[in-house]
Amino acid sequence: MRTITLNAVRNLGILAHVDAGKTTLTERVLFATGTTYKRGEVHDGTTVTDFDPQERDRGITIFSAAVSCTWDGHRINLIDTPGHVDFSDEVERALRVLDGAVAVFDGVVGVEPQSESVWRQADRHGVPRIAFVNKLDRAGADLDTAVESIRTRLNTVPLVVQLPIGAEDGFVGVVDLVRMRALTWEDSLEEGPVPETLMAEAQRRRRLLEETVAELHPEAIEEFFAGGLSDETLRKALRELTRQGAGTVVLCGSAYRNRGVEPLLDAVIAYLPSPVDVPPVRGVDGEERRPDPDAPFAALVFKVNATANGRLTYVRVYSGTLHKGETVSVEGRAERIGRILRVQADRHTPVDQATAGDIVALVGLKSARTGTTLCAPTAPLLLEPPVSADPVVSVA
Ligand code: GDP
C-alpha cells in the first residue's frame, strides 16, 4: 500500500441543514472515490453512512460515522456530522476533530437557520470551509440568490469559482473559473473549452473573482492591477483566504444527478488544510503537540459505538504513532489497543498503525468515552477536561 504523507490528508466534515443533500453528497463522494461500487439512495435505505436503522427510518443523520477514501493521491477522512438541531452536541464533537469542512446549501432555499447555527459553531472552532450549493437541477434553484444569502446571513465573502451551465432540469455542468474550462456531465465528467455563448459571462465572473480576491489578499493586488491574476496566483490566494477564514470558496452542482462532485473533491484538496497546516493541538495545561509521527502519541476520542463486532472507539490522532497491541494511557488507566481499523464505507480494514492526522476506529478499549484523551504512558497529556458519564451509542 502506498504511504500517504501528512500533507496529503484531509480530515473533512460535511455540514448542512437537514435535507440540503449531505447524505446524497456523501454517497456520491464515496462512489466517485471508488469506495463504494453500488450507488446508495437515501429513499431506499441503502446508504452507507446512515447505517443505523433508526436513522434510516427517520431519514436523518444522527451518528457521526467516519469514512476514509482516496482522491488524487490524497486520503480524505470524512467525518459525518449530524445536521439536525437536536444533535448539536454531536456536531460540536465532530467539529473538534476536523481540519476543514464543506458546507452544503440547498440551491432553492439558500442559507437556512440550521445552516447558520452550524456555520457559527464552525467559526468558533476555527474550521476552514468551502461551500457547495446543491440541487441546482431543482425548479427555482439559483446560484446567485444562494450566494447572496451566504454573503448576508453568514457574514462571509463568497468567492464563486464556478458558473453553472444550464439551469434547473437543463443544468448540465459548470465553467471552472479558475482554469477557464467547461466541465459537463453526461454519463461521466467531460472537460472542454468554455462554450462561446458563455465566454463573455465567464470572463466577467472571473474578473469579479480576481477583484474580490485582490481586495482581500494584499499579495494579489499588484498582479491584479498589472493585468490580472494568473491561475496559479488565484489558486494560491484562494487557498490562503480559505485557511484564514477570510472568504468562502463557493462551488455548485447536483449531488443527486452526480454533477459537481469531482471538482468539489479537487477543491477540498486544493483549498482546505491538511493536519500540518492547522495550529498544533494544545493540552489543558497549555502543552502543544505537533502533528509529528515521531512525537509522543496523543489522540482524542470523538465517538464510541457499540457494534455487533464489539466496542468501536473513533479517534483523531494528533501526534505520534500508535501500533496495534500497544498499551496506551486512557487518562491514567493503562489499556491495550486490540485492532486498529480504517473505516471505508461499510468495510473496516485492519491496519498495523495509525499516525498523526489519522482518523481510525480502535477495538479493545474499555473505558474510553467521547472526549477522552489517549496518550503514550510516558508522555501524559489531557486534551479536554475529563468527562464523567457519556452514553455508549448502540449500533446494530
Ligand atoms: P440530508 O438530510 O442533508 O442528508 O439530505 P439527503 O441527502 O437525505 O437529501 C434530502 C432529499 O433531497 C432526498 O430526497 C434527496 O434525494 C434529495 N436531493 C439531494 N441532493 C439533491 C439534488 O442535487 N437535487 C435534487 N433534486 N434532489 C436532491
Side-chain angles (χ1 to χ4, degrees), residues 16-24 42 59 61 134-135 137-138 253-257:
H17 185 278
V18 168
D19 263 3
K22 188 181 60 184
T23 311
T24 310
V42 175
T61 311
N134 189 31
K135 304 197 185 183
D137 62 307
R138 273 185 67 194
S254 162
Y256 186 74
R257 303 229 179 155

Side-chain angles (χ1 to χ4, degrees), residues 14-28 41-43 47 50 59-61 80-81 83 104 106 132-139 171 253-259:
I14 299 184
L15 312 174
H17 185 278
V18 168
D19 263 3
K22 188 181 60 184
T23 311
T24 310
L25 180 63
T26 304
E27 288 304 320
R28 300 307 191 246
E41 297 293 347
V42 175
H43 54 81
T47 61
D50 285 356
I60 54 171
T61 311
D80 193 18
T81 53
V104 182
D106 183 318
F132 183 73
V133 176
N134 189 31
K135 304 197 185 183
L136 279 201
D137 62 307
R138 273 185 67 194
F171 169 73
S254 162
Y256 186 74
R257 303 229 179 155
N258 213 15
R259 295 179 173 170

Side-chain angles (χ1 to χ4, degrees), residues 259-299:
R259 295 179 173 170
V261 177
E262 300 92 340
L264 177 65
L265 288 167
D266 289 341
V268 164
I269 306 291
Y271 306 130
L272 290 175
S274 79
V276 277
D277 301 319
V278 297
V281 74
R282 225 179 253 277
V284 291
D285 63 356
E287 185 188 337
E288 279 189 359
R289 280 291 169 85
R290 305 210 152 267
D292 174 358
D294 298 323
F297 168 71

Side-chain angles (χ1 to χ4, degrees), residues 1 25 39 52 56 125 135 138 149 152 218 224 230 251 263 278 298 303 311 328 353 360 363 369 372:
M1 200 169 79
L25 180 63
R39 210 180 280 174
D52 185 82
R56 285 186 189 168
H125 287 269
K135 304 197 185 183
R138 273 185 67 194
S149 75
T152 52
F224 177 69
S230 68
L251 299 98
V278 297
K303 183 86 202 168
R311 205 167 187 266
V328 297
Q353 60 177 52
V360 286
V363 185
R369 299 176 184 284
T372 299

